[in-house]
Amino acid sequence: MPVPRLLLLFSLVLGSRPWVLSLEKLSGAHDDARCSQGLSCHLWEDVLCLLEPTKDPVLVPTKLQTEVVLQCRGERNCVPCVRVTLHLTVQEPRKEDPDEVWLREDAELTSHPWPRNESLQAKVILSFQAYLSDRCVLVKIEVPAAMVQPGQNVGSLVFDCFKAPVGEEVRIYTEPPYEKELSHIQQVPDCVKPELQNSVPSCFVLPWFNISNEGDDIQLVMDISTEQNYFLSLYWNQSGNRKTRFLQVLTGPQNITLNQTDLVPCLCIEMWIKEEEDAIRNYLCPFKEDPRAHKNLWNQTKLKLKFLGTRSLSWMVEAPCSLSAEIILCWKPVDSELCYPLPVPLPQKNVTLNKFQDLPLLTLHPNVCVQVWSGEKLQIQECPQENILGPLRDDMLLLETWGPLQNHSFCAMETSGCTPLPSMAHTRAAFFGKQLLQDLQSGQCMQLWNDTGILWACSLQKWWLQFLKNDYRYGGAARARRALLLYSPDHASFERLVGTLATALGQLPLSVAVDLWHRRELSALGPLAWFHAQRRQALQEGGVVILLFSPGAVALCQEWLQEARAPQGPARPADTFGASLSCVLPDFLEGRADRGYVVACFEELLPRQGIPDLFHAVPVFSLPSQMPAFLRALVGPAKGQRDTLSAQAARVAQYLQPALEECLQRGSSSAL
């Protein structure tokens, strides 16, 4: 029977492979252990690797490294093998009592760590684990005590080597007598590597196949003789555990189309001859770098939350393959799409899959959600269902920390950052700062977490109700109207004024979106995409877009109007207002802006007549003198008396005054 050739058109799927370096070849088939200068090693073979843990070991492994080599009995008779390098450090002996007397393992008390004429010894167990095999070796290491000092790195042990199956993922680890286990996962190259094709018998004994693309489908084109039967297994390699997706006996050439749901980075292929016992098996995991496989992986990944009553919550990530992901807790405010991270430590990388893990919270809260991030991209977010913990609450989060002198400090967590309390900043938290601290001190806030700091949730609901009852009554429960606030970031003082206005408007039945509060989302999407998403949502829900003009905004509009007439068109600016003009200007130029837009300016910074004529097609308001009319345009007329609206407008104007004066002072300083 002719030997089938390797016909793997691999570049169609993956491009380059991660194994680009040449593999070292070792002669012979015997194991070997050697140590760096100054150490002596002795390899014990054919022994049971069982040792009792040592309470106070002296020579301690501190770092484990692995690499793949080829162990060869001839030029074309090699097997992949995993070389292990173990670095060793002299551990300082444990101190027995306040007199700092050293306790040695033989119970002899001495004022020195070790007698200089002795040697320090260690027995190291190295273990190897593959899918169908495992093995261990025991190595004794010695070093003269006179040559070392406590805490010193004394050298390394190199073991050649653990034979490993082609294409498999294997685990190397240390075992007792050391309390701390060192572990490393090593991927063994598959037969795609030319050196293995020409040197490893299993790579030219078994048949192989092409991997081809047919549109969205991926096919295995099997080049198999009709004279031989082979098993073909497709499986998910889940950190050493297998989940079989397909198993079939093949005879003769065949084409097999992979299911899209099976195509994930850990999908592997295994083939072996059916009629032979202990047949040589070939492994291949060709989809580790395939973009479609990674997309499918995240499409199949799920984040599950499990509640035990209302005081305990566990989370679990279900996925077919290992993930490099970050799990964070986040806080989702009322009437906001943003969920900003909480300073509660959770596993950062290499998330444990398919196993529930407890959240470190003292009390559950409906606004606390769980997110899974991959790099800079949010992949999954899950929040408690309303029927378990109730609807979202209008609460403010406070973080309590303390310094070296036990002096406590507080800050309120907002989308723009953590605002210190008390504070003169122009934010929603600063506006309620005094009342928040009073509630905290009187025990009215809920403690969510207590570790390196304390996280408190304090209700704003009572202030919210009083605010509505006293100043702006409606005939029933009002649904917050969406408002997108656009402005030009002329300078830091003006941005603070914009933030103050947005905070004040947020106390009305308005859900205000402003880029100051969405920095992370804006960074991820870019200003133009963020604006389009916010504008579409606002207008689809009957909301309003507020164009807040300033000298910088006027200059930008004029620049865009001039450049739009040029052949090359306008450049795309980096700020949200500049980016929005590519959509806003056509609405005004083509007469589509009569609904959904409101224009405003601060009269002491820009007179009403300074706004370009184009934008006078919609209501234009000078602030703060026209504040009542401005608020009425945003939320509609109140069903009570007009004096309630006037009182509300007066309160907002008063709240804006410090930030407005700061802008005016900056303008006066610039003029000088």
Side-chain angles (χ1 to χ4, degrees), residues 11 38 254 302 316-318 331 374 407 441 459 496 531 563 588 645:
S11 61
Q254 296 189 38
K302 297 179 181 178
M316 177 176 68
V317 175
E318 285 188 344
W331 179 265
S374 176
N407 50 322
Q441 293 167 0
S459 175
R496 282 192 287 273
F531 160 74
E563 291 185 353
F588 280 86
L645 182 60

Side-chain angles (χ1 to χ4, degrees), residues 5-15 17 190-192 207-223 232-234 254-260 263-265 267-271 283-290 292-293:
R5 298 178 59 84
L6 173 65
L7 298 172
L8 185 61
L9 303 180
F10 213 18
S11 61
L12 291 174
V13 180
L14 297 181
R17 296 293 294 172
D190 51 42
C191 291
V192 175
W208 280 87
F209 42 81
N210 295 328
I211 299 179
S212 65
N213 290 319
E214 296 272 340
D216 293 333
D217 293 330
I218 293 180
Q219 286 193 337
L220 305 182
V221 182
M222 316 303 299
D223 181 24
L232 172 68
S233 172
L234 303 180
Q254 296 189 38
N255 291 359
I256 298 175
T257 300
L258 298 181
N259 292 328
Q260 287 293 329
L263 180 61
V264 291
L267 177 64
C268 298
I269 305 164
E270 180 182 26
M271 289 188 68
Y283 304 88
L284 180 66
C285 303
F287 304 106
K288 292 182 178 179
E289 308 299 328
D290 192 320
R292 291 165 300 179

Side-chain angles (χ1 to χ4, degrees), residues 15 58 248 273 289 342 352 363 669:
V58 178
Q248 184 172 319
I273 298 174
E289 308 299 328
L342 298 179
T352 301
T363 308
S669 301

Side-chain angles (χ1 to χ4, degrees), residues 166-404:
V166 173
E168 272 216 35
E169 192 176 75
V170 299
R171 177 172 175 252
I172 312 291
Y173 58 98
T174 61
E175 289 194 66
Y178 303 101
E179 294 180 0
K180 180 181 178 182
E181 177 189 285
L182 301 179
S183 177
H184 184 70
I185 301 296
Q186 176 67 56
Q187 178 65 55
V188 182
D190 51 42
C191 291
V192 175
K193 190 170 181 65
E195 287 174 276
L196 272 66
Q197 294 177 25
N198 300 323
S199 304
V200 178
S202 63
C203 288
F204 48 80
V205 168
L206 292 179
W208 280 87
F209 42 81
N210 295 328
I211 299 179
S212 65
N213 290 319
E214 296 272 340
D216 293 333
D217 293 330
I218 293 180
Q219 286 193 337
L220 305 182
V221 182
M222 316 303 299
D223 181 24
I224 295 177
S225 168
T226 57
E227 302 174 14
Q228 190 76 60
N229 297 328
Y230 293 92
F231 276 116
L232 172 68
S233 172
L234 303 180
Y235 64 93
W236 287 344
N237 186 5
Q238 300 174 323
S239 300
N241 297 319
R242 293 191 176 194
K243 185 174 182 180
T244 301
R245 308 298 296 174
F246 177 89
L247 180 63
Q248 184 172 319
V249 177
L250 303 181
T251 302
Q254 296 189 38
N255 291 359
I256 298 175
T257 300
L258 298 181
N259 292 328
Q260 287 293 329
T261 54
D262 290 338
L263 180 61
V264 291
C266 62
L267 177 64
C268 298
I269 305 164
E270 180 182 26
M271 289 188 68
W272 67 99
I273 298 174
K274 180 185 176 184
E275 287 80 7
E276 294 184 7
E277 288 189 27
D278 299 325
I280 296 175
R281 299 186 179 214
N282 246 330
Y283 304 88
L284 180 66
C285 303
F287 304 106
K288 292 182 178 179
E289 308 299 328
D290 192 320
R292 291 165 300 179
H294 283 273
K295 182 179 179 181
N296 288 345
L297 172 61
W298 282 110
N299 288 340
Q300 296 183 49
T301 299
K302 297 179 181 178
L303 174 62
K304 292 188 175 182
L305 305 183
K306 182 171 70 175
F307 295 86
L308 298 176
T310 59
R311 300 191 65 84
S312 178
L313 171 62
S314 300
W315 60 272
M316 177 176 68
V317 175
E318 285 188 344
C321 304
S322 300
L323 292 171
S324 178
E326 180 180 359
I327 305 294
I328 67 170
L329 292 182
C330 63
W331 179 265
K332 193 174 188 305
V334 176
D335 297 326
S336 173
E337 297 301 320
L338 184 68
C339 193
Y340 54 89
L342 298 179
V344 179
L346 288 176
Q348 296 296 302
K349 298 290 182 182
N350 298 323
V351 174
T352 301
L353 299 180
N354 308 318
K355 180 180 179 181
F356 276 104
Q357 301 183 57
D358 294 333
L359 288 174
L361 293 177
L362 300 176
T363 308
L364 301 185
H365 195 287
N367 298 45
V368 176
C369 303
V370 185
Q371 293 181 333
V372 181
W373 286 77
S374 176
E376 295 298 317
K377 184 177 181 181
L378 172 62
Q379 297 286 359
I380 311 173
Q381 175 177 304
E382 288 292 336
C383 300
Q385 295 180 359
E386 189 170 315
N387 62 350
I388 298 177
L389 298 179
L392 295 176
R393 302 174 192 167
D394 191 13
D395 288 2
M396 180 69 69
L397 277 182
L398 300 189
L399 178 62
E400 178 182 358
T401 55
W402 45 89

